[in-house]
Amino acid sequence: VVQHALPGQQAGILVHQPHIGREPAASQPTVKAQFARIAGFQRLACLLGIGRFVLAGLSACMLQVHSGEALVITRFGAPVRVLLQPGLAWRLPPPLETVVPVDLRLRTTSSGLQDVGTRDGLRVIMQSYVAWQVPADSSHITRFLRAVQNQPDEAARQIATFAGSAMETGSSRFALGNLVNTDRSQLR
């Protein structure tokens, strides 16, 4: 603070003029500029928060179909559509639509060893193997979902039961000599 007498004033009267002899401080922000700066940071933080929310929502709606599988989109539990082509796909957010993956790969099932009878009354222990898969078509996939609730183990159990029944009825139509023989012409 510099105090001095101005020309035309009496001696002894001092006038306080703090900016004489130096430039006013232009680099110091005013209160209005400080509030504008704080408001700018708040706007930026709000926009970043909204951006994160939008990205989280988009990522919840995006899904990937892998090779060898199908995705069934269900809306409130009812199948709406089946996605078969590998790649990215979209759906509504999880409370509205859910995704059920269905494996389309080839599977094998065994009937297990079974004691079956032949036409001539003899007993034979037999076993059958079945290779199966869900066909890559939307009607078969939805039928698979309804029949076994997308449980491949349950489907394998049912197939093994059918194979065992077919083996039982099939073997009862033949004599043992028609099933097991060293002469190829005798086999049926």
Side-chain angles (χ1 to χ4, degrees):
V1 173
V2 177
Q3 294 180 349
H4 66 284
L6 292 175
Q9 292 182 344
Q10 293 181 3
I13 298 177
L14 298 175
V15 177
H16 175 68
Q17 295 181 347
H19 64 279
I20 292 181
R22 64 183 172 145
E23 299 274 329
S27 64
Q28 294 179 354
T30 64
V31 173
K32 185 177 180 181
Q34 287 177 344
F35 280 127
R37 187 173 167 199
I38 291 171
F41 283 130
Q42 287 175 343
R43 262 185 265 139
L44 179 63
C46 182
L47 287 175
L48 287 175
I50 290 172
R52 285 182 182 172
F53 182 74
V54 168
L55 284 176
L58 287 176
S59 67
C61 294
M62 189 170 57
L63 49 101
Q64 182 177 6
V65 182
H66 297 284
S67 179
E69 80 172 359
L71 296 181
V72 179
I73 308 294
T74 61
R75 189 171 298 148
F76 303 115
V80 176
R81 61 189 169 152
V82 178
L83 303 173
L84 296 167
Q85 296 299 322
L88 291 177
W90 296 94
R91 66 176 171 131
L92 293 177
L96 301 175
E97 290 185 345
T98 56
V99 177
V100 179
V102 177
D103 192 357
L104 301 177
R105 294 178 294 177
L106 185 67
R107 298 174 181 267
T108 58
T109 301
S110 168
S111 67
L113 294 174
Q114 291 188 343
D115 184 15
V116 296
T118 61
R119 182 176 60 185
D120 50 359
L122 299 174
R123 304 301 292 172
V124 179
I125 296 179
M126 298 176 79
Q127 183 174 11
S128 65
Y129 291 93
V130 179
W132 63 277
Q133 73 183 79
V134 179
D137 129 341
S138 61
S139 65
H140 286 99
I141 291 169
T142 54
R143 187 180 305 161
F144 177 75
L145 280 176
R146 288 188 179 118
V148 293
Q149 287 76 38
N150 197 27
Q151 300 294 321
D153 293 337
E154 175 61 22
R157 187 190 65 73
Q158 290 180 13
I159 290 171
T161 301
F162 293 142
S165 296
M167 213 170 30
E168 181 75 34
T169 58
S171 67
S172 67
R173 292 185 297 159
F174 297 99
L176 181 61
N178 296 126
L179 296 174
V180 179
N181 201 318
T182 56
D183 185 9
R184 277 189 172 271
S185 64
Q186 295 292 322
L187 294 178
R188 307 270 173 186

